[in-house]
Each structure stands twice: as C-alpha cells, then as structure tokens.
Amino acid sequence: IDAENFFLLPGTDITRMTVLEPGDILTAIRIPAKWAGAKFYFEKVADRNTWDFPLVNIAMVRQMDGDVVKDIRIAAGAVQNTPKRLKVVEDTIKGQKVTPELAQLAGTAATRGARPLNYNHFKVPLLANLVSRALRSAYPPPQAAPKRTGGPNRPPGLHLAHRRPGRGLAQSSLG
C-alpha cells in the first residue's frame, strides 16, 4: 500500500483511520531504495511536551546535487484529518538552487488555497514557516569563524561573568 493511500478520509469510513481491516497488523514500512543516503527532516510544533498532539508538523526527505534539489518529498501533519503531501511545494522546489527566496516561496506555496477552520487560522502561517525552515535546513553550512586565540590582554579560554544594567548576571566564554 502506498503511503498516500494508507489513510482514509472520514467520508470513506468514519470508524477507521486507515485502509487496514479489523485484524490487520502493519508489520513493516519500506522506504524505496532511491532514498538511501537522502537527508531527512522532521519538526513538530505542539503546545506542551513531546507527547502532546501537534499543532502542525512537517516531514521532508531530500536529495541534493550540490545546492540544487534533485528530488524531494514533503508532507504536513495536523493541517487536515490525514497527513497532506505538499506536491505543489515539491514541484516548486525540485531542480532549483536552495536560496532564502526559494524557502519563502515554498512556504507560500504550501498555504496556497488553505481554508482554515474556526480557531485554526494560526496554522496557516505556522505551516508556511515550517516549510520554509525545513527547506532552509538544506542550505550549505555556514563557514566557521576563525577561532579566537586571545589577545594582548585576554588569554585564550578566559571565562567572564559581568552584569548588564537591569538584566542581572550574564556569563560568556571567550576563546
């Protein structure tokens, strides 16, 4: 069973959430070999602890060719009653160089046509931000700043504690 066909909409059968029949047991999940070596990303936003239901979550798998998205799958949870694959976002991103502008465009594409229910309007910008953040995870890592070696009046690794007006004690390490 393809993942896209696994979950049922309430209009199909209100008593079941999946295509599994009573007595069926899910024994394995197979990820196609083409995704071997791909980078996976998942983020969940919830009101409380990790065991809480998500407000919105995002799952992404991507294959890169340098800084260009070679292939991608992205899905959101808690934005409808079944996980929602964001094909319009995939089509927007695939073959493109990852940039801040592309991340923003992907977030906008994810929410195009969204019709939130009462009291769920906050999920629209939340979904856009999560999609953008997921894609930003594909940015090349920033170059590390050269390590400080101290100076004439500051030996390497000096630990400082100082007071900031009105903010209490602040600590920092230099080195």
Side-chain angles (χ1 to χ4, degrees), residues 5 8 11 14 30 32 36 45 49 58 60 83 104 118 126 152 154:
N5 300 320
L8 296 175
I14 194 69
R30 293 187 184 96
V45 177
N49 296 328
I58 197 82
M60 179 182 72
Q104 176 119 12
N118 287 341
L126 185 55
R154 188 179 320 127

Side-chain angles (χ1 to χ4, degrees), residues 125-168:
L126 185 55
L127 174 62
N129 287 331
L130 285 177
V131 168
S132 294
R133 186 156 51 194
L135 188 56
R136 284 194 310 265
S137 75
Y139 288 172
Q143 296 295 326
K147 186 170 171 110
R148 284 186 66 114
T149 58
N153 299 321
R154 188 179 320 127
L158 178 65
H159 182 78
L160 300 175
H162 59 277
R163 291 200 177 274
R164 289 191 255 168
R167 295 187 185 154

Side-chain angles (χ1 to χ4, degrees), residues 33-95:
K34 76 178 229 166
W35 295 107
K39 300 295 182 192
F40 292 80
Y41 180 94
F42 178 81
E43 187 170 0
K44 169 185 171 182
V45 177
D47 278 335
R48 293 181 292 272
N49 296 328
T50 58
W51 293 102
D52 197 11
F53 290 102
L55 297 172
V56 175
N57 61 42
I58 197 82
M60 179 182 72
V61 58
R62 61 181 161 78
Q63 291 178 323
M64 302 292 290
D65 184 7
D67 57 358
V68 173
V69 178
K70 183 176 163 184
D71 204 357
I72 187 166
R73 296 291 184 276
I74 189 164
V79 295
Q80 65 179 32
N81 50 3
T82 62
K84 179 174 180 55
R85 184 168 168 194
L86 303 174
K87 289 184 180 184
V88 68
V89 175
E90 296 170 5
D91 293 340
T92 301
I93 295 170
K94 198 179 296 186

Side-chain angles (χ1 to χ4, degrees), residues 104-123:
Q104 176 119 12
L105 179 62
T108 301
T111 59
R112 188 176 304 135
R115 294 184 318 267
L117 300 175
N118 287 341
Y119 309 108
N120 279 347
H121 291 85
F122 69 93
K123 290 187 176 195

